[in-house]
Every structure is written in structure tokens, then in C-alpha cells.
Amino acid sequence: MKMNFIKNVVPLLLTICMIVVFGAIPILIVGTEIHVSAYLIETKNLILSLLHPHEITYYITKPERPLFPEIFNPYLYSLTVYFSAFFLSILLGLLLSFVTINFFSKSVKRFVSFLVFVLESLPDLFIVAVIQMGIVWFFKKSGILVMSFTSLPDERSYFIPIIALSILPTVQFFKMFMLSLEEEIQMDYVVFARAKGIPFIAILPFHVFRNTLMSIFYQSKSILWMMLSNLLVLEYILNMNGFTSFLFMYLSPELFVVALIMLLLPTYLLLLVFKICIKKLNNEEVVL
Amino acid sequence: MKSFIVKNFYILLGSSFIVGILLASCINGIFFDGEIKQTQAIYIDAYPVDAAPFKPSQSFWLGTDTNGRHLLHVIIEGAKYTIGLGLFIAIFRMFFSFVLGTIYAFHLQKYQRVLSALSNAFQYIPVVLLAYFLLRPVLNQAFEGFQYSFAIRVWYEIILLILLVLPTVSLVIGNEISIILRKEFIQSARTLGASSFFILRKHVIVHIYRRLLIIFTQQVIQVLLILAHLGLFELYLGGTKIDYSIMKAAPITTTYEWSGLIGDYFDLFIVYPWIPLVPIGAFTLTILSLNLIVKGLEKNMNSEPATHTKRLKQKEIKKVALKEFNFKVVTRD
């Protein structure tokens, strides 16, 4: 039990250490000079302020304002968009791959895989820009504004950001599901179940899905971090007053460290829950 | 035979786009001094009838920006800087990661758990955010002007973009190498007296160079993506000039480098959507063709077994054989 706990917490602590080490680097390297003593002092200050988070302030010009109750508003907004997009993309990926495997013929599948290839190589910047253009075009044609571009704290838009953020992960999940499902379908137990007369649609969710959990975990690890940087771009382009816009506006070493840790914690927690689920369901160990 | 054409078709298509645009860019730079065609207004009988920006049309293929510069021309002129920078950074990333990965695979296997834990910790930090945080104090122009010279700014950015991914990529390459080092033929080579360097040169590289090529192409894509993002956040290669006067002019790039163009043009997005979409589209096409190359390389890798260590030529074999059998027959009485 104790061993397990250490295994789960050590990577988290390591990452936090790393973030703190990076936090003061702008002080360490100034042009071509290197100031080690100033760096050490700054690092000490960073650690001290992490221990007393209520004293952290943010400012562009004075007066300084306390960071902590203030930051939760944009933070919760961004997290909502982030996690809903993540779960939406898992659901959509699953749904689409089930549909493709069950109902589509071979030539359609080939076309789908081509489409996946193209979509996968599009940069997030392009996708978000095109979506925004689409909204403007739609507004010009029909007069219906799907999403307002000036988001105020009270009226925040969720629909379009979540959709825009979930496109790339959906494509990646879809691709991964297709690969592991096609591999899994040829296994003996699937053939056996089909021979017993269990319909294919019933086998898929209950048997095959469970066995692909491992690969979902590893994939979602990298997808979650990819989505974080997509979130930055999204908030910038769609003018959402989210967490990362806040971070960009008031960027300082303290804020950077705190913000990265705040982004790290929920994501890490989610992966941990995933890990425990896989352990309970399949009795398989995965590395965080 | 058909599959041979298909698998090379991907690589051909992808690389021809990149080579083509690089060539065009260099030709424009060398023979036309990097000049950009500019049409600020259209005159009919000496009366101006229309002024820039123009929409994409037959006479302006991708339209023009607000100063009347032809965007197709701008993109071609900027290609050599952006793609060149991507290739440059990726080459150095690969070089250093290969060196580090080799050291890791040959000598540091004892510390595998510690090292992979460290590099794992590293991958949880979004690279774009980190790059932005570390680059902003150096690249942005302060109120009193730039703190550092142009060369320092450029090299700082390049070195930073190289260093940021070294832990992850070296570990990937190191793991690839160590998988090969565990194979049986390496054991027999060692028994025959091969040195580590010989094994690296004759056995390891032969097996992983395809994999290295794929990683290299993916690295180019990654660098381009980071550049595009940094450009969007108005951190340009070599520094952002910020106009602190009252008439706030937009930050300017001087080289028509793509990431800078994205930042420059992005404010025009709502009014003239095609203008920022052109550099973004250029990035997209480049990344798409790089991905085509990756796909071609992957197909190539799966379909053909890795070429084995170069066979000795027939003559050399004879020589070796002669040496070995050239012993005296000792007869015993």
C-alpha cells in the first residue's frame, strides 16, 4: 500500500520540482550572463510563496491584488471547457469507431482513414481559425450569432470552445480505437462469442472495449497534454477570458509556477483515477 | 511493384512541395533581391478605382495585405526562413539527442528508472507555455529598446528550442538503441571483439536510421507548430518590435517569416479573414506534406526488413578466407 502511494506521488512531485526549477530561469540567464546566486534566491522565494499561496499577488502596474480567490473564476471556466472537451472526444471517438466498424464497407473505410490522416495533420491554429471564420460567415448569412466574441465573466460561451477543442483529440481517439479494435476483433474469444450467436454490437462494448482500456490510457496521457497547448491557442483566438489568457496577461515567475501546478493537479488526478479503474477492471498495471 | 510506387508516392508528393517552395524562395531571394510585388491601388485611366487589400482573384492569387503586398509572393519569400529554421533546429535536436541517447544506451542503463522518471516529469509541462515564458523577457522590446543584440536574440531562441525537447527525444532514441543492443547478434559481435563504436557504426545505425528519419520529420513538424504558436502570441524570431508611441503600430517582422506574418496579420482576422489565413494555410500545407513524408517512411519501414550489415564483397571474403586457411600443415611423426 505504502509502495503504491509512493509510486503514484513521486512523478507528481518530480514534475512540480521541475516547474519550480524552470520558474526562475529568466533570472538565471540574462542575455549572455549567468547569475547563479540571484537564481537561487529567486528559487527560494518561489518555494516560500508556494508554501504561503495566500500571499501571492498579481499586477501589471501597482496596486497588486491577491491572486487566490480571483484566479478561481477563469480557472474553473477553462477546466470545464478542457475536461468536457476531453470526455466528449472520447465519447465521439468511440461512437464513430463503432459506427465505422459495424456499418461501413471497405472502400468507405479507406476514405475515412484518408480523412483521418488529413484532419490529424491540421494544426490547431488552422482549425480554430476556420471555425471562427465559419461563425462569422454564418452570422453574416443568417444573422444568428452562435458565439459572442467578447466574453464577459457572467455570460461565457461553452458550446463552440468545447467543440473546437475536441476536434483534434476526437480524431486521434478515433484512429486509436480503430487500430486496437481491429486488432482485438481477430482474437479467438471474439470469434468464439460470435460463433455462440452473440450479436457483434453486443460484443464490442462489453468485451472488446475493456481490453482496449490500456491503450486508451496511454493515448489519453499524450492527448491531455496536447489539449493543454491547444487550449492556449483557443482562448487566445476566440477571445475567451480563461485561465491561460489570465496567465499571459499577468505573466510573472510566481504566477507561471502556480498556474502550471494548477493545470497539472487535475490532469494528474484524472490519470490516477484512470489508472485505478484499469487496475480494478483488468488487473493491469500502467505507468503514470 | 505497385506498392513500391505507392509508398514512394507519399514521400515524393510531400518532399516535392517542400523542395519546390524552398527553391522558389531561394530564387526569389538570390535573383530578385527578395523583392515583393506590391499593388496599392488599381487605376483605370489614372483614377484609382480600388485600393488594397484585394481579395484573392485572378490577378492576385492569394490576395494582398493592407499595404498591397501580394501574399503569394510574401509567403514564398518567407518560406526559406521558416522551413529552414525548422530543419536547422530539428537537425540539432536530432544530433544532440542521438549523442545523449547513445551514451544512455551504452553506459547509463543502470540509472534507467531515475532517468525515465525525470524525462517523464518533463513531458507534463506544455512546451509552448514554457517556451513563451522563457522567451518573452528576451524577445520583447522593452520601453527603452531591445536589451540584447539581434544575434543574441536569435541564438537564444534557437538554443532554447533545441534544449526544450532534448530529455524526451534522447530517451526515445536511447530506448530504440538499447532494444537493438539487447539482440543476439550484438552479443556475438561483442564476443568477436567488436568495440562499442564499431557496434554503433556497423550494427545500430543500420537498424535505426529509418526510425531516426521518422523522428526527425516529426521534430520538424513540432518546431513549425511551436513557431506558429509563438508567432500567434507575437513573439517573433529575432525579437518583436513594439511601438510604444501613441499611434500603436502593429508589431512588425522584417523577414516575412511565416510565424511573424501570423502575428502581424492576426488582428485583421475579423475584417479581412483571408489575410491571416494565408500564412496559417502555408503552415498547414507544410505540416501536411511533412506528415505525408512520415507516412511514406513508416510504410517503407513496415514493408521492408531492415537492411542488414553491409555484406563483404566477394573479393574481400576470398582474402579473409585465404588468411584464415593459410596455415602450415604440421605432420606429426
Side-chain angles (χ1 to χ4, degrees), chain A residues 29 47 145 206:
Chain A
I29 306 167
I47 294 170
L145 194 53
F206 297 114

Side-chain angles (χ1 to χ4, degrees), chain B residues 121-132:
Chain B
F122 203 83
Q123 77 182 18
Y124 285 134
I125 307 172
V127 181
V128 181
L129 202 61
L130 195 58
Y132 182 80

Side-chain angles (χ1 to χ4, degrees), chain A residues 15 18 22-23 30-31 117 121-126 129 132-133 221 225 233 236-237 248 251 256 260 288, chain B residues 118 121-125 129-130 132-133 136 148 225 229 232-233 262 269 273 277 280 284 287-288 291-292:
Chain A
T15 313
M18 219 118 335
F22 276 114
V30 181
F117 170 74
S121 354
L122 297 181
D124 45 359
L125 199 60
F126 181 78
Q132 204 195 17
M133 245 177 88
K221 201 170 139 186
W225 301 111
V233 176
Y236 189 87
I237 296 182
F248 275 169
L251 196 61
F256 176 76
L260 272 189
L288 266 175
Chain B
L118 276 178
F122 203 83
Q123 77 182 18
Y124 285 134
I125 307 172
L129 202 61
L130 195 58
Y132 182 80
F133 175 67
R136 197 171 80 152
Y148 314 107
L225 277 176
H229 286 170
L232 180 72
F233 299 133
I262 291 182
F269 194 75
L277 218 53
I280 293 177
T284 309
I287 288 168
L288 199 67
N291 264 328
L292 273 176

Side-chain angles (χ1 to χ4, degrees), chain A residues 57-276:
Chain A
T57 52
Y58 72 92
Y59 59 91
I60 293 183
T61 53
K62 315 272 168 174
E64 303 182 4
R65 270 172 268 170
L67 179 67
F68 255 98
E70 196 85 1
I71 202 173
F72 281 121
N73 194 8
Y75 179 60
L76 288 179
Y77 175 49
S78 290
L79 277 195
T80 319
V81 171
Y82 178 52
F83 284 120
S84 354
F86 178 70
F87 288 117
L88 182 73
S89 61
I90 288 190
L91 272 181
L92 275 181
L94 266 179
L95 205 72
L96 286 176
S97 59
F98 280 1
V99 169
T100 329
I101 279 199
N102 279 325
F103 304 114
F104 286 172
S105 66
K106 221 168 194 175
S107 55
V108 179
K109 270 183 196 164
R110 197 172 290 163
F111 175 72
V112 167
S113 80
F114 170 74
L115 205 67
V116 164
F117 170 74
V118 173
L119 276 177
E120 205 186 19
S121 354
L122 297 181
D124 45 359
L125 199 60
F126 181 78
I127 290 179
V128 180
V130 166
I131 284 180
Q132 204 195 17
M133 245 177 88
I135 296 170
V136 173
W137 176 83
F138 189 71
F139 177 63
K140 275 182 186 164
K141 287 278 173 211
S142 66
I144 302 168
L145 194 53
V146 187
M147 178 201 168
S148 65
F149 292 122
T150 50
S151 77
L152 299 168
D154 327 329
E155 34 176 300
R156 289 189 150 138
S157 46
Y158 288 94
F159 181 64
I160 291 290
I162 290 175
I163 297 285
L165 190 59
S166 65
I167 288 177
L168 275 180
T170 303
V171 172
Q172 292 202 345
F173 272 124
F174 171 74
K175 189 183 159 194
M176 189 212 66
F177 285 138
M178 287 300 285
L179 281 178
S180 49
L181 284 183
E182 268 172 0
E183 205 174 278
E184 203 68 27
I185 277 172
Q186 285 158 6
M187 297 276 185
D188 284 344
Y189 75 93
V190 178
V191 179
F192 178 61
R194 289 183 80 175
K196 277 172 74 175
I198 303 173
F200 194 50
I201 296 179
I203 303 174
L204 270 183
F206 297 114
H207 300 277
V208 179
F209 177 65
R210 246 178 73 172
N211 288 338
T212 53
L213 270 182
M214 275 271 273
S215 40
I216 295 180
F217 175 82
Y218 281 116
Q219 192 75 9
S220 56
K221 201 170 139 186
S222 62
I223 285 179
L224 272 171
W225 301 111
M226 182 200 78
M227 282 173 68
L228 261 188
S229 56
N230 288 7
L231 188 70
L232 299 181
V233 176
L234 188 81
E235 286 189 5
Y236 189 87
I237 296 182
L238 291 186
N239 243 336
M240 301 151 57
N241 278 320
F243 188 59
T244 49
S245 342
F246 187 91
L247 179 62
F248 275 169
M249 202 183 286
Y250 305 105
L251 196 61
S252 70
E254 279 177 352
L255 183 58
F256 176 76
V257 171
V258 171
L260 272 189
I261 291 174
M262 282 172 85
L263 285 177
L264 175 72
L265 284 176
T267 324
Y268 198 83
L269 208 68
L270 181 75
L271 287 174
L272 203 65
V273 170
F274 247 171
K275 185 186 166 173
I276 292 167

Side-chain angles (χ1 to χ4, degrees), chain B residues 32 264 276:
Chain B
F32 301 98
D264 275 359

Side-chain angles (χ1 to χ4, degrees), chain B residues 53-303:
Chain B
F54 299 106
K55 277 191 176 174
S57 63
Q58 255 184 351
S59 41
F60 314 103
W61 281 9
L62 292 177
T64 70
D65 66 3
T66 39
N67 288 327
R69 286 189 286 253
H70 294 207
L71 283 176
L72 181 66
H73 215 146
V74 169
I75 288 296
I76 287 177
E77 172 60 21
K80 55 175 174 284
Y81 299 107
T82 311
I83 298 179
L85 190 73
L87 291 174
F88 184 79
I89 291 176
I91 285 173
F92 276 93
R93 277 180 175 189
M94 288 308 286
F95 176 74
F96 289 119
S97 330
F98 184 71
V99 172
L100 289 178
T102 315
I103 294 171
Y104 165 74
F106 275 95
H107 301 295
L108 299 178
Q109 283 294 309
K110 276 176 270 175
Y111 311 109
Q112 194 208 353
R113 283 185 57 188
V114 181
L115 288 175
S116 59
L118 276 178
S119 132
N120 256 339
F122 203 83
Q123 77 182 18
Y124 285 134
I125 307 172
V127 181
V128 181
L129 202 61
L130 195 58
Y132 182 80
F133 175 67
L134 296 181
L135 285 174
R136 197 171 80 152
V138 178
L139 292 190
N140 258 355
Q141 189 183 26
F143 193 71
E144 314 84 50
F146 281 117
Q147 272 174 296
Y148 314 107
S149 70
F150 180 75
I152 288 181
R153 276 175 275 145
V154 171
W155 282 109
Y156 182 79
E157 179 166 0
I158 290 177
I159 291 172
L160 197 89
L161 287 182
I162 292 171
L163 286 183
L164 276 183
V165 297
L166 276 193
T168 345
V169 181
S170 346
L171 203 75
V172 168
I173 296 180
N175 283 338
E176 293 277 336
I177 295 177
S178 64
I179 286 172
I180 290 171
L181 285 186
R182 263 180 245 136
K183 296 228 159 125
E184 246 165 53
F185 63 86
I186 298 287
Q187 294 296 322
S188 33
R190 276 203 201 281
T191 325
L192 288 175
S195 67
S196 291
F197 184 66
F198 183 85
I199 288 179
L200 182 73
R201 201 163 50 101
K202 287 283 182 185
H203 296 292
V204 174
I205 289 186
V206 185
H207 274 89
I208 64 165
Y209 79 92
R210 292 156 195 270
R211 188 84 196 107
L212 286 183
L213 263 178
I214 292 175
I215 297 177
F216 169 70
T217 323
Q218 284 166 340
Q219 285 304 314
V220 180
I221 296 174
Q222 242 194 38
V223 175
L224 288 179
L225 277 176
I226 289 184
L227 281 180
H229 286 170
L230 287 179
L232 180 72
F233 299 133
E234 296 186 342
L235 281 187
Y236 306 153
L237 176 74
T240 311
K241 273 183 197 162
I242 297 176
D243 194 355
Y244 282 100
S245 58
I246 304 165
M247 285 289 293
K248 251 190 165 173
I252 310 159
T253 54
T254 45
T255 50
Y256 301 109
E257 189 262 326
W258 291 353
S259 67
L261 290 177
I262 291 182
D264 275 359
Y265 292 150
F266 207 80
D267 294 338
L268 307 170
F269 194 75
I270 296 291
V271 200
Y272 312 113
W274 74 91
I275 297 180
L277 218 53
V278 167
I280 293 177
F283 265 111
T284 309
L285 276 180
T286 314
I287 288 168
L288 199 67
S289 39
L290 283 169
N291 264 328
L292 273 176
I293 295 177
V294 170
K295 197 171 181 174
L297 286 173
E298 268 169 2
K299 269 213 160 138
N300 199 13
M301 196 160 136
N302 294 336
S303 61

